[in-house]
Amino acid sequence: MLGESRAEEEMVERYKDGVSIIIGQIIHSRSATEDLSQETFMKAITKIRHGELREPVRLSGFICGIAKFLALEYVRKGRRLINQEEVGKAEQIADPAPSQLERLCQQEKCDAVRQVLNELKVERDRNVLRRYYIEEEDKDSICGDLGLTATQFSRIIFRALERYRKLYMKHSGTP
Amino acid sequence: MNSIDHNHIDQFDLDQYLLGKLAAEESAVLEEHFVDCSQCIHRLQTTRDFLQALRLVAVQDASKAADNPRPEMRRYFWRTPFRNAFAVAVCALLAAAILGVILAINQIRRLRYEVMQAQSISAEWERRFEEERQAALLAHEERQGIERELTAQLRQMEADRQREQEHRAVEAGAPTALMRPGMNVPIFSLNAVTRSEQGPVGSASEVPLPRSPTAFILLLPLEVDLKYEDYRVSISDDRDRRMWSRKGFQPNRYGSLSVVLDSSSFRPGDYLLTVGGVTKQRGLTPLGTYPIRIIKH
């Protein structure tokens, strides 16, 4: 039993960030994402204990499937509540407003992004980031308009992300 | 084992996943890989945070722009590609304005030059017109003068012709007023005047004649020695134009020359008879002048 518990902890530690990203792509709420992540692992452990994971090499896909199913189920449940006007169950939906700590983290990230943007000496690079990440334009279209090769485009993105990562780590004190 | 190799995943795949642009199958394959890949998770987290912060910054900037539109709009404007388009448009407008000014100046210069040319041509034509008008006036006056002169010459020629006819008639023996037998022929005796006496009005001898043609005789007493072989008598009018001249006169025994004339050859006015003596050695010598004034009544 002790070994199984340690293995389950290792599994959670190993997959929690990935599961959080997968759920976060479907549900844009940090608290709901955390709840669903925990639920994902509870379901996964339960299923594994019941021997429903027949191929251990498929563990990653198994966990991903559970996480996506729960996230989608959460979205469907939220829609049902809104459609059926079940006001009495509204407290089951987490408050989407960020907490104070989350707002602080967000502001730090925004400051880092602003610094990254200000450090860009070429207006074209700012245009690339804006059109690619905010306006979600096609990469080929942007390259065609601005006369960039794919390599130049990737270099702009890479440098911006690297600079952002370093600045954010510096601001947040993350090693 | 992951379904795809980590080396085959690049930033573009992760971006497409975070932007929700991958197909369901592609997303599932990628998720199955990165859920167990710390490197990909780290890149995904960084990219996701950057993406979210970038969008938040854009929202914040847009909100500020809405609160204070002018500077933000201006900043946004100058940060966007519109700046280049605006600059190009301004340059184009300036270039068009400058070009327009240059063209207008050239046009004004050309028009001014044409006006000056037109004025010059007009002045030239005006000058030519004035010259031709003056020339026409001169020609007209000259023509009138010539006409007057020709008229006078014609009259003179007419008078000469008439006298010539009379002369020929006399020579041919035709009966003229002079040759026809007459009665009560007036005879006027004239007095010779010296040069100092000539000129005053009162010195001319008056010769009253009827208006009807008639012959009359002038007696010219000679107050010199009668030593000349021949005598000539000439008649000039008041303009000193010779009307008649004849030689072959001889004085009578009273020392006078007699001249028979036709009154129709004379108009009322002053005339001058001149008598000269002719010798072979000395030619014609003036002997005296006899001014007369023809009066017709």
Side-chain angles (χ1 to χ4, degrees):
Chain A
M1 286 294 289
L2 188 61
E4 284 183 0
S5 177
R6 188 172 296 160
E8 289 167 359
E9 285 177 9
E10 283 180 6
M11 182 188 72
V12 172
E13 190 64 27
R14 182 174 175 179
Y15 287 104
K16 67 174 183 181
D17 289 338
V19 166
S20 178
I21 289 173
I22 292 168
I23 295 172
Q25 277 296 103
I26 300 170
I27 300 167
H28 302 288
S29 165
R30 183 177 286 269
S31 58
T33 300
E34 286 178 1
D35 292 344
L36 287 175
S37 293
Q38 289 179 7
E39 194 175 341
T40 298
F41 288 114
M42 285 173 61
K43 269 203 171 176
I45 290 168
T46 305
K47 283 179 179 285
I48 289 169
R49 285 178 183 171
H50 283 86
E52 292 184 24
L53 177 62
R54 286 181 287 274
E55 298 176 42
V57 292
R58 299 289 299 166
L59 177 62
S60 296
F62 180 72
I63 292 176
C64 286
I66 294 172
K68 287 184 83 169
F69 175 80
L70 289 176
L72 292 172
E73 188 65 22
Y74 179 86
V75 172
R76 279 194 286 268
K77 192 188 295 179
R79 283 178 185 165
R80 270 205 306 275
L81 281 175
I82 292 169
N83 292 337
Q84 295 172 5
E85 297 181 354
E86 295 176 4
V87 181
K89 296 180 180 178
E91 63 271 13
Q92 293 179 3
I93 302 174
D95 182 8
S99 65
Q100 197 168 355
L101 179 62
E102 287 172 348
R103 280 202 293 271
L104 192 62
C105 290
Q106 277 181 353
Q107 192 54 48
E108 283 182 350
K109 291 173 185 174
C110 287
D111 292 343
V113 165
R114 283 187 190 281
Q115 190 166 344
V116 170
L117 293 176
N118 289 334
E119 286 177 0
L120 292 173
K121 294 177 182 175
V122 185
E123 180 67 29
R124 180 200 62 187
D125 295 353
R126 275 190 285 271
N127 283 334
V128 168
L129 295 177
R130 177 176 54 81
R131 293 175 65 173
Y132 184 57
Y133 282 125
I134 298 176
E135 296 171 8
E136 298 185 11
E137 285 188 39
D138 188 47
K139 174 185 172 183
D140 295 336
S141 169
I142 298 171
C143 289
D145 284 353
L146 301 178
L148 294 170
T149 63
T151 308
Q152 288 173 320
F153 180 88
S154 300
R155 194 176 297 139
I156 291 169
I157 299 294
F158 176 77
R159 283 178 182 168
L161 289 173
E162 275 299 300
R163 183 63 183 145
Y164 166 78
R165 189 180 59 78
K166 285 178 184 174
L167 285 171
Y168 180 65
M169 283 166 56
K170 182 181 172 184
H171 287 163
S172 62
T174 310
Chain B
M1 286 291 289
N2 295 331
S3 56
I4 57 173
D5 189 357
H6 175 78
N7 295 327
H8 291 158
I9 297 174
D10 60 9
Q11 181 64 41
F12 181 69
D13 297 324
L14 301 180
D15 291 338
Q16 295 297 297
Y17 174 76
L18 289 173
L19 293 170
K21 290 184 176 180
L22 288 183
E25 294 78 14
E26 292 173 330
S27 291
V29 171
L30 185 67
E31 285 168 348
E32 197 172 335
H33 164 76
F34 75 69
V35 78
D36 193 20
C37 177
S38 59
Q39 290 180 15
C40 286
I41 286 173
H42 185 66
R43 285 164 66 186
L44 276 167
Q45 285 174 334
T46 303
T47 306
R48 183 193 60 193
D49 290 350
F50 180 78
L51 177 59
Q52 289 174 349
L54 191 65
R55 286 175 173 170
L56 197 56
V57 165
V59 170
Q60 288 174 352
D61 287 348
S63 175
K64 281 183 186 173
D67 292 343
N68 189 12
R70 282 187 184 173
E72 289 302 323
M73 281 291 285
R74 197 177 299 131
R75 194 182 306 164
Y76 174 77
F77 176 80
W78 287 112
R79 281 185 178 176
T80 58
F82 290 111
R83 180 180 59 182
N84 295 333
F86 180 75
V88 169
V90 168
C91 289
L93 283 174
L94 279 174
I98 291 170
L99 187 64
V101 168
I102 290 171
L103 287 175
I105 289 172
N106 285 338
Q107 185 74 1
I108 289 169
R109 281 183 183 169
R110 193 171 64 79
L111 288 174
R112 194 175 292 168
Y113 176 71
E114 286 180 359
V115 167
M116 287 173 65
Q117 268 195 332
Q119 284 177 341
S120 173
I121 291 170
S122 171
E124 178 68 18
W125 278 107
E126 200 170 339
R127 189 180 61 77
R128 287 185 187 176
F129 173 76
E130 187 63 23
E131 284 178 358
E132 287 180 2
R133 195 175 67 84
Q134 293 292 340
L137 279 175
L138 285 174
H140 181 67
E141 289 176 358
E142 191 175 353
R143 184 167 56 80
Q144 283 184 334
I146 291 170
E147 280 180 1
R148 282 195 296 269
E149 193 174 342
L150 287 174
T151 304
Q153 286 180 2
L154 185 63
R155 285 177 184 166
Q156 181 65 31
M157 288 171 70
E158 188 66 26
D160 291 344
R161 186 183 64 80
Q162 191 172 354
R163 281 194 294 273
E164 186 67 21
Q165 279 181 350
E166 289 174 357
H167 177 69
R168 285 179 182 172
V170 170
E171 287 181 347
T176 65
L178 292 176
M179 295 300 293
R180 282 192 298 268
M183 53 187 296
N184 299 325
V185 175
I187 300 171
F188 300 96
S189 178
L190 304 181
N191 296 321
V193 297
T194 60
R195 286 187 179 276
S196 59
E197 293 172 335
Q198 191 176 352
V201 177
S203 60
S205 300
E206 291 188 350
V207 179
L209 296 173
R211 291 193 177 276
S212 58
T214 182
F216 66 98
I217 298 169
L218 296 177
L219 292 176
L220 309 174
L222 297 174
E223 297 176 354
V224 295
D225 294 336
L226 305 175
K227 56 183 179 181
Y228 297 95
E229 299 171 0
D230 192 6
Y231 294 88
R232 172 185 288 269
V233 177
S234 299
I235 301 176
S236 301
D237 61 8
D238 55 352
R239 295 182 182 177
D240 203 22
R241 290 185 298 191
R242 180 170 291 185
M243 295 172 59
W244 178 82
S245 180
R246 177 78 56 86
K247 62 180 180 178
F249 285 87
Q250 290 296 323
N252 58 18
R253 61 181 175 176
Y254 302 108
S256 296
L257 299 177
S258 59
V259 183
V260 181
L261 297 171
D262 185 358
S263 67
S264 62
S265 300
F266 295 88
R267 292 179 182 176
D270 292 337
Y271 298 88
L272 185 67
L273 279 75
T274 306
V275 176
V278 181
T279 59
K280 288 182 180 177
Q281 293 78 19
R282 297 171 64 184
L284 182 64
T285 303
L287 298 178
T289 55
Y290 302 84
I292 60 171
R293 175 166 298 156
I294 302 294
I295 298 171
K296 291 195 174 180
H297 50 85

